[in-house]
Amino acid sequence: MILLEVPRYAVKFIAMGVIFAIYLIIHLISISVKKSRNRRQQRKKQANQFNEVSAQKKEISEIQTPPEPLTRQEKLKSTTPLLQPTIVTTKQKSITIGRSPDNSIVISHDGRVSRHHCKIYTDIDNILYIEDMDSSNGTFVNGKSVKKFCIYKGDKIKVGDTQIDWENHFFQ
């Protein structure tokens, strides 16, 4: 058997290299584990945010969903006047409400009213609807926030801090 003589400093150098290599491997593994843990936490956080947004959208849709207008058969069957949509016969098919002078109803004194806040219009069957036009502060019918809503004679419409007398524009 032939033994090679290796100087002592070479053995120390090789040992230090092995120790450094082991240290690097352990360090890289710990970085990988941390990144994996962070990704899992981010996915979990995104899932929670998605669930929260979905729940909020569901709540908003429950609040803002207007009742479905009655069909012609339901109108004929219905005897309760409160359940029937307001049907108008007028030449004016829509009015717009807002701060801008080109609206049908101009509310220039209320800073909470958008330039083009909402519109009231009739559909093909002459049923009245109100639709918010992406206003900053929302449109309210009888105290509830609405996006699009079938309105009835006597409903109170509020934009900003102003109560709207809308019936005069459709009923003479």
Side-chain angles (χ1 to χ4, degrees):
M1 190 189 262
I2 301 175
L3 292 175
L4 295 174
E5 263 194 55
V6 180
R8 217 169 230 210
Y9 67 88
V11 173
K12 285 182 181 180
F13 183 73
I14 292 171
M16 285 177 31
V18 170
I19 291 171
F20 183 71
I22 292 171
Y23 168 77
L24 280 178
I25 291 170
I26 292 172
H27 184 67
L28 292 174
I29 290 172
S30 68
I31 289 173
S32 175
V33 168
K34 285 179 184 176
K35 284 184 178 179
S36 176
R37 188 179 304 136
N38 286 342
R39 275 189 241 121
R40 266 196 311 264
Q41 288 174 345
Q42 280 182 328
R43 277 190 240 122
K44 192 173 184 179
K45 186 177 179 180
Q46 287 172 347
N48 288 340
Q49 288 173 344
F50 177 78
N51 291 339
E52 288 174 8
V53 168
S54 296
Q56 289 172 351
K57 283 183 180 179
K58 184 177 179 185
E59 289 173 8
I60 290 171
S61 67
E62 288 172 357
I63 292 171
Q64 294 183 348
T65 304
E68 290 294 322
L70 298 175
T71 63
R72 290 179 189 263
Q73 292 175 345
E74 290 173 331
K75 288 179 197 174
L76 295 173
K77 289 181 184 177
S78 177
T79 57
T80 308
L82 294 176
L83 296 178
Q84 293 179 341
T86 302
I87 300 175
V88 296
T89 52
T90 179
K91 291 179 183 176
Q92 190 167 5
K93 291 293 180 186
S94 72
I95 60 172
T96 57
I97 301 169
R99 280 193 340 258
S100 180
D102 61 339
N103 288 298
S104 306
I105 299 176
V106 179
I107 306 172
S108 57
H109 66 280
D110 191 343
R112 296 190 62 205
V113 175
S114 297
R115 284 178 287 148
H116 296 99
H117 199 96
C118 63
K119 66 180 176 179
I120 300 174
Y121 61 94
T122 59
D123 69 356
I124 296 171
D125 295 326
N126 289 328
I127 297 174
L128 279 172
Y129 286 90
I130 186 166
E131 184 173 350
D132 186 83
M133 297 167 67
D134 295 325
S135 64
S136 301
N137 295 307
T139 302
F140 295 85
V141 176
N142 299 326
K144 294 184 180 178
S145 177
V146 296
K147 189 70 178 157
K148 182 178 178 184
F149 197 78
C150 179
I151 56 175
Y152 303 89
K153 191 171 185 177
D155 280 346
K156 305 294 182 207
I157 295 174
K158 186 175 180 183
V159 295
D161 293 323
T162 306
Q163 187 89 21
I164 304 296
D165 184 17
W166 62 274
E167 293 176 359
N168 291 338
H169 292 272
F170 287 95
F171 307 108
Q172 274 47 350

